[in-house]
């Protein structure tokens, strides 16, 4: 694989800033590699061509490439073009896997409700002997969990039969399985903009063309969505406490979402209604809609259980197609998830109360420590979308590990380098790490503004 100068320039976006240009360039390319926006083993553009496209000197590009080589992010000059790599033993974590010594602001996911999870697993183990005499493979999911998920949809205002549910290894698996099964390279897909980075990655990996439609502080522009969906192969929206903004598609707009193409809604955050009433699923208004859900945010990401709701035929088709990559979801996790779903009415109020508390702490901290940032209004989910006064999101994410924090830069949520003025701030951390994290971000921001450079081997704060 290779990337062209224009494609790299789009990924770099507006990369002006303080400090020497070659440093900013090497820092940002390194961040793009670590973020996965520049895939590994991608040949970078030739120096002369990139310099011309970026309007800088060839020496600047050459110095940046040399730095990247020295840091281990580019292969040595044994071939015409250096290829992206990650140096062995790099201490910068992959998104969402910050080491124990970094405060993870890159992930919007809460810790497990420990006691409830323990109880659910204990009950699951009690039931396990009933399953042991059988082979344990259930390509569409265990009947018990399919029934519990269907019941939850029915309780939320969308009558659902267990046969309409496919159990998957998380919402991400559900979406990638769907995309692999029903889409082809070059198909055009309409998405929110910003959107969930891993969903965008699924679409890019599948070779789809993405038509982004803006989600602004005012929410979704349904008329534009309807227009954009004409002739598209699919639309993928996150209407229930959208990631990253936390916005909710209004009850007025839900029935208006009549699109010309199949619509997939990701409802991973749907149960996390902090200010709003819990939303009635979009599929209750439009029967053909495919819904994706997950236990990850409601209960715990480590369960790795999600699901897809569709008509029976598509569920069967996807169940068959999944054998190309996996043969089912672990039995104990499915049983534990069914237990948790049965208890959701008792579990959720406390969990939501904790999230509200953490969100107000985060908003207070931003007001006091980052006073020139503005935070969009959110009504649920696990994050807010903060607007920065300058386009420094990637530069901030590049230096933040030196200040003890792991961030997901705004452009990860967009197409073509958009959102350099934005940062997703999750409120899933406890109070002390959240305070320490915002302090770290404030210090990192001061460093960026004074032209500080990113160190390839970050020294986390104690
Ligand atoms: C909108 C959205 N979709 C999918 C996922 C992934 O969910 P899972 O852990 O169930 O794969 C997330 C997790 O952050 C998410 O926010």
């Amino acid at each position: 694989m290779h990337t062209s100068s224009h494609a790299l320039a789009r990924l770099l976006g507006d990369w002006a800033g303080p400090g020497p240009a070659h440093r900013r360039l090497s820092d940002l390319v390194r961040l793009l590699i670590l973020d996965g926006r520049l895939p590994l083993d991608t040949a970078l553009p030739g120096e002369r061509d990139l310099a011309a496209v970026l309007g800088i000197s060839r020496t600047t590009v050459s110095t940046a490439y040399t730095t990247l080589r020295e840091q281990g992010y580019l292969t040595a000059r044994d071939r015409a073009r250096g290829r992206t790599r990650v140096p062995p033993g790099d201490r910068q974590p992959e998104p969402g896997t910050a080491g124990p010594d970094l405060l993870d602001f890159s992930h919007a996911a809460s810790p497990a409700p420990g006691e409830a999870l323990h109880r659910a697993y204990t009950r699951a183990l009690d039931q396990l002997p009933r399953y042991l005499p059988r082979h344990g493979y259930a390509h569409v999911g265990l009947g018990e969990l399919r029934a519990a998920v269907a019941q939850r949809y029915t309780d939320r205002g969308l009558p659902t039969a267990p046969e309409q549910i496919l159990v998957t290894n998380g919402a991400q698996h559900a979406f990638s399985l769907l995309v692999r099964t029903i889409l082809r390279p070059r198909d055009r897909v309409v998405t929110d903009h910003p959107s969930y980075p891993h969903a965008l990655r699924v679409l890019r990996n599948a070779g789809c063309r993405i038509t982004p439609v803006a989600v602004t502080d005012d929410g979704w522009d349904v008329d534009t969505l309807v227009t954009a969906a004409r002739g598209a192969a699919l639309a993928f929206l996150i209407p229930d406490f959208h990631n990253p903004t936390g916005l909710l598609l209004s009850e007025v707009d839900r029935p208006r979402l009549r699109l010309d193409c199949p619509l997939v809604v990701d409802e991973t955050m749907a149960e996390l209604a902090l200010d709003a009433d819990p939303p009635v699923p979009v599929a209750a208004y439009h029967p053909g809609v495919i819904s994706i859900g997950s236990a990850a945010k409601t209960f715990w990401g480590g369960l790795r259980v999600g699901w897809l709701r569709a008509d029976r035929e598509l569920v069967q088709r996807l169940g068959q197609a999944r054998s190309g990559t996996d043969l089912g979801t672990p039995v104990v996790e499915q049983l534990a998830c069914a237990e948790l779903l049965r208890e959701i009415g008792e579990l959720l109020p406390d969990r939501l109360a904790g999230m509200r508390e953490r969100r107000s702490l985060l908003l207070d901290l931003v007001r006091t420590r980052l006073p020139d940032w503005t935070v969009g209004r959110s009504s649920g989910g696990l994050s807010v979308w903060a607007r920065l006064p300058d386009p420094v999101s990637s530069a901030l994410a590049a230096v933040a590990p030196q200040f003890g924090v792991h961030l997901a830069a705004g452009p990860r949520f967009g197409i073509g380098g958009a959102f350099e003025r934005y940062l997703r701030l999750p409120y899933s951390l406890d109070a002390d790490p959240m305070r320490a994290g915002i302090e770290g971000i404030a210090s990192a921001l001061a460093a960026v503004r004074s032209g500080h450079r990113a160190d390839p081997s970050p020294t986390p704060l104690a």
Side-chain angles (χ1 to χ4, degrees), residues 206-451:
C208 296
R209 292 174 297 143
I210 299 175
T211 303
V213 175
V215 176
T216 65
D217 277 348
D218 299 325
W220 286 259
D221 176 346
V222 175
D223 293 331
T224 304
L225 277 172
V226 169
T227 309
R230 285 192 195 120
L234 194 80
F236 170 78
L237 307 180
I238 312 174
D240 294 354
F241 314 121
H242 175 254
N243 188 353
T245 64
L247 289 166
L248 177 68
L249 182 69
S250 73
E251 275 177 29
V252 174
D253 280 338
R254 286 180 186 243
R256 296 181 58 229
L257 208 54
R258 273 187 299 275
L259 305 186
D260 257 4
C261 66
L263 170 60
V264 180
V265 292
D266 180 331
E267 299 175 342
T268 297
M269 302 277 184
E271 301 280 6
L272 309 186
L274 301 187
D275 302 331
D277 288 334
V280 174
V282 168
Y285 299 88
H286 308 285
V289 165
I290 301 165
S291 316
I292 287 175
S294 174
K297 310 296 156 149
T298 316
F299 307 121
W300 190 43
L303 272 168
R304 303 310 310 135
V305 175
W307 50 83
L308 178 144
R309 179 195 181 278
D311 60 48
R312 291 166 165 80
E313 291 71 31
L314 183 56
V315 165
Q316 284 305 322
R317 186 174 160 207
L318 293 170
Q320 271 155 15
R322 97 185 271 180
S323 64
T325 50
D326 81 290
L327 301 176
T329 301
V331 171
V332 176
E333 272 63 24
Q334 292 192 68
L335 293 172
C337 185
E339 288 293 332
L340 288 162
L341 279 170
R342 280 192 282 267
E343 265 193 57
I344 192 169
E346 292 93 74
L347 275 177
L348 212 46
D350 275 359
R351 211 153 157 71
L352 297 187
M355 289 170 192
R356 282 189 200 100
E357 243 171 61
R358 290 190 201 112
R359 185 183 55 176
S360 23
L361 173 62
L362 176 74
L363 296 180
D364 279 350
L365 290 167
V366 172
R367 257 190 301 276
T368 50
R369 298 297 293 120
L370 302 162
D372 52 3
W373 291 23
T374 44
V375 171
R377 72 188 161 86
S378 78
S379 49
L382 285 169
S383 62
V384 292
W385 189 228
R387 187 178 156 89
L388 287 55
D390 357 273
V392 294
S393 191
S394 295
L396 189 61
V399 304
Q402 288 170 70
F403 297 88
V405 190
H406 186 212
L407 298 176
R412 289 192 65 211
F413 299 81
I415 310 290
F419 305 123
E420 202 51 271
R421 281 179 192 274
Y422 287 84
L423 190 69
R424 182 183 73 173
L425 292 174
Y427 38 87
S428 40
L429 272 77
D430 284 337
D432 284 345
M434 195 178 322
R435 281 194 197 93
I438 295 292
E439 281 309 313
I441 293 173
S443 307
L445 186 62
V448 166
R449 284 178 175 160
S450 66

Side-chain angles (χ1 to χ4, degrees), residues 117-132 136-138 142 144-145 167 169 302-305 328-340 342:
L117 203 81
H118 196 266
R119 204 167 44 241
Y121 268 94
T122 306
R123 291 189 189 144
L125 285 175
D126 288 345
Q127 294 166 47
L128 188 61
R130 280 200 283 131
Y131 292 88
L132 295 180
Y137 294 93
L142 290 188
E144 193 143 349
L145 178 56
V167 174
N169 304 331
L303 272 168
R304 303 310 310 135
V305 175
T329 301
V331 171
V332 176
E333 272 63 24
Q334 292 192 68
L335 293 172
C337 185
E339 288 293 332
L340 288 162
R342 280 192 282 267

